[in-house]
Amino acid sequence: MNELVFIGLGLNDEKGITVKGLEETKTANSVFMENYTSRMPDFNLQQFELICGKKVQLVTRHMLENENGTRILQAAKVGKTVFLVPGDPFIATTHVTLRIDAEKQGIKTRIIHGSSIMSAIISLSGLHNYKFGKTVTVPFPENFSETPYNVIDQNKKNGLHTLCLLDLKTEENLYLSINQAIMSLQEIEQKKKNNVITPDTVAVGIARAGSYNPTLKADFIKYLTDFDFGEPPFSLIFPGDLHFMEIDALLAFAGAPAEFRRLAR
């Protein structure tokens, strides 16, 4: 059967895939995997191949974006093909084009969802899911953009939390740190002066969400810049209006200072 099945790998290691996802992989004729949209800290490819009994072909960004995923689509035309993606397959919009192209070429597509960085970060922080506004990515300095600052500003005006995903280049082993992201936003603050990112702005830094040892720290920006979050990947939350239960969660789960209690609304 010619079909392309997008399968989420989860967030940390080869055991994060769902039972359904593993069953689908075991029955595939071809198995591809990309590892550039996110970092899975403890993923072992050789171990995963032993678990699923298949040889996994690694896919580069060039193969998907410059060659339009031709190799994957060709495999899917002659047999069941699995495409493994860190997290949940379409939380990052990178692979939507591949799915559209497959459908246009008469290839049936299916999705087996996996744990998502979006839900994991919200769960870890204890902040209320329905109070998150637009998500944004903070880029490396060479791709400087005011968009993250503007998104945080607009979300705050609406009382909403902002999840900032921090840029990464896995092929070069480069990951934007929480400290770098804060400094980038502070540079924009110095220019725009909207009091969005001040020393007393509240933020929550998260590292290695979904792993066995994630790090969470909630504090004021002036203290977060020197906090050691350890290894990547990193994310950053700028809370909007905080309910007292959310503050209790930040104190309990993210080491927030007692001063946070005065922020309840």
Side-chain angles (χ1 to χ4, degrees), residues 32-47:
F32 296 87
M33 173 185 169
E34 67 90 347
N35 61 354
Y36 65 83
T37 57
S38 183
R39 179 178 187 261
M40 299 183 68
D42 298 314
F43 188 87
N44 185 306
L45 179 60
Q46 290 72 32
Q47 186 63 33

Side-chain angles (χ1 to χ4, degrees), residues 2-135:
N2 63 322
E3 66 174 345
L4 177 56
V5 186
F6 294 85
I7 299 178
L9 284 168
L11 300 173
N12 182 61
D13 58 21
E14 64 278 0
K15 298 176 183 178
I17 191 171
T18 65
V19 173
K20 179 64 174 176
L22 184 59
E23 290 175 348
E24 294 280 359
T25 304
K26 287 180 176 180
T27 59
N29 299 108
S30 301
V31 180
F32 296 87
M33 173 185 169
E34 67 90 347
N35 61 354
Y36 65 83
T37 57
S38 183
R39 179 178 187 261
M40 299 183 68
D42 298 314
F43 188 87
N44 185 306
L45 179 60
Q46 290 72 32
Q47 186 63 33
F48 180 77
E49 289 179 328
L50 288 174
I51 292 172
C52 69
K54 298 288 180 179
K55 179 65 178 177
V56 177
Q57 304 176 60
L58 292 178
V59 176
T60 64
R61 185 185 294 272
H62 178 84
M63 290 168 61
L64 276 176
E65 297 182 0
N66 296 85
E67 299 176 5
N68 301 314
T70 301
R71 192 179 305 180
I72 298 173
L73 294 173
Q74 288 177 340
K77 287 179 179 179
V78 297
K80 177 179 176 178
T81 298
V82 156
F83 182 36
L84 302 166
V85 181
D88 188 84
F90 293 103
I91 290 299
T93 57
T94 308
H95 308 311
V96 173
T97 300
L98 179 63
R99 188 182 180 204
I100 292 172
D101 288 343
E103 291 286 346
K104 285 181 176 178
Q105 295 179 35
I107 301 169
K108 178 184 176 183
T109 63
R110 291 187 291 118
I111 306 171
I112 308 298
H113 296 283
S115 299
S116 163
I117 188 67
M118 309 289 281
S119 58
I121 286 173
I122 294 171
S123 298
L124 282 170
S125 69
L127 298 177
H128 297 166
N129 175 62
Y130 62 85
K131 290 176 60 179
F132 275 80
K134 183 178 180 180
T135 297

Side-chain angles (χ1 to χ4, degrees), residues 144-146 148-150 152-153 156 181-201 221 238:
F144 182 81
S145 170
E146 292 185 358
Y149 180 95
N150 294 335
I152 296 167
D153 189 10
K156 279 193 173 185
I182 291 173
M183 289 192 295
S184 177
L185 292 166
Q186 287 175 323
E187 288 181 16
I188 303 172
E189 178 64 54
Q190 291 173 7
K191 173 185 175 182
K192 305 194 77 166
K193 300 185 185 302
N194 289 342
N195 291 320
V196 176
I197 307 295
T198 72
D200 291 321
T201 294
I221 287 293
F238 288 93

